[in-house]
Amino acid sequence: MSSTPGILASRKRAKRKKLFLRLALLSFSAFSIIFAAAFFFFRAEKFRITEIKISGLENISEEEIRKEAESFLSANILKVFPANNFFLFSEKKTQDKFLAKFTRAVSVSVEKDYPSSLSINIEERSPVALFCEAGGKECFFADNTGYIFEKAPFFSAGVFLKFFDERTAENLSVGKTLLEREEFEKMIGFARRISNSVFPICEIHFVKDGVCEFWDEDGVKIIINEKDDFNLIFANLETAFSEIFEKEKKTAKDAEYIDLRFGNKVFFKWK
């Protein structure tokens, strides 16, 4: 007795269904075995990071670094696997988190030492100058690139060269820059040249229309244009002291300001 086409089709569907169920069962079993193996492997105590080694610190608190590292290690990945597993722990993500958290750090190196240690080395930024809001209400430490990395305490005044930006009402804050690195280095270098040959510069003020003023501790001002040739400006300043000030038998302390914005013409006002 021959089977009808409908019966044959029904049998084929049944076979396909059984095959699909078998494959699904095998896949589920394989996944379960792999997941169980991963679960026990990644949760094994012998692969847990338990020791934290910290180096390179000068001003950042070691306790804060350790606390932050322990926080990273105590987390869970996918709410199942412990982040302190040696093979799962990410050095790159941890480095990025430290750099975002500790603005005083210029670089962070995180390395795993098999099977259970973590080494953290931090290079800190060194303060080179203070960037201050107009009026001197708040000041911030800036490193050699001009990057603002930390609020400065009031007693730091007089220790570092202070920059004041009177061109804008925008508040300064950590993470910002007052000047591009090249401009910052240029201003620092010029202030040092004046300090070494004329009088110590303690403040630099940026005022409107590209005018910049270098102040000593008594408020004597050397006024320049930011865009002018600093070598030419300095040569004119030295000429003024060797010819005009010596002739008048006066020193820089006797001046209220020295204006160097007009090429070889030097204008000044006595107190």
Side-chain angles (χ1 to χ4, degrees), residues 116-177:
S116 59
S117 294
L118 189 69
S119 296
I120 303 170
N121 180 268
I122 295 179
E123 181 186 353
E124 297 186 25
R125 300 179 189 275
S126 297
V128 171
L130 295 178
F131 287 173
C132 305
E133 294 180 351
K137 296 177 182 178
E138 272 194 324
C139 292
F140 299 84
F141 285 127
D143 67 5
N144 64 333
T145 69
Y147 177 83
I148 297 173
F149 64 87
E150 188 173 275
K151 185 176 179 181
F154 70 94
F155 58 78
S156 56
V159 178
F160 299 97
L161 181 64
K162 299 174 75 173
F163 287 76
F164 292 86
D165 191 357
E166 300 170 9
R167 300 167 297 184
T168 175
E170 183 181 353
N171 292 333
L172 296 173
S173 62
V174 172
K176 291 186 177 181
T177 56

Side-chain angles (χ1 to χ4, degrees), residues 26-166:
L26 286 172
S27 298
F28 178 76
S29 299
F31 174 79
S32 299
I33 292 171
I34 294 172
F35 181 82
F39 181 83
F40 288 108
F41 177 80
F42 289 125
R43 294 182 70 88
E45 290 295 328
K46 66 178 179 179
F47 298 130
R48 298 286 188 94
I49 297 173
T50 56
E51 183 182 8
I52 302 172
K53 303 172 185 177
I54 301 171
S55 60
L57 298 181
E58 295 182 16
N59 296 286
I60 300 175
S61 164
E62 181 176 337
E63 183 181 350
E64 287 186 56
I65 296 295
R66 189 172 299 279
K67 183 178 178 181
E68 198 69 18
E70 290 173 348
S71 174
F72 299 154
L73 292 169
S74 64
N76 288 306
I77 300 172
L78 300 176
K79 298 184 178 180
V80 176
F81 302 112
N84 65 354
N85 176 274
F86 183 86
F87 300 100
L88 293 179
F89 187 81
S90 172
E91 298 105 310
K92 179 63 170 61
K93 288 182 179 179
T94 304
Q95 288 171 186
D96 292 343
K97 288 178 180 178
F98 272 119
L99 286 171
K101 176 77 174 181
F102 298 95
T103 53
R104 183 179 270 271
V106 65
S107 68
V108 178
S109 172
V110 178
E111 295 182 357
K112 296 182 291 188
D113 303 315
Y114 185 83
S116 59
S117 294
L118 189 69
S119 296
I120 303 170
N121 180 268
I122 295 179
E123 181 186 353
E124 297 186 25
R125 300 179 189 275
S126 297
V128 171
L130 295 178
F131 287 173
C132 305
E133 294 180 351
K137 296 177 182 178
E138 272 194 324
C139 292
F140 299 84
F141 285 127
D143 67 5
N144 64 333
T145 69
Y147 177 83
I148 297 173
F149 64 87
E150 188 173 275
K151 185 176 179 181
F154 70 94
F155 58 78
S156 56
V159 178
F160 299 97
L161 181 64
K162 299 174 75 173
F163 287 76
F164 292 86
D165 191 357
E166 300 170 9

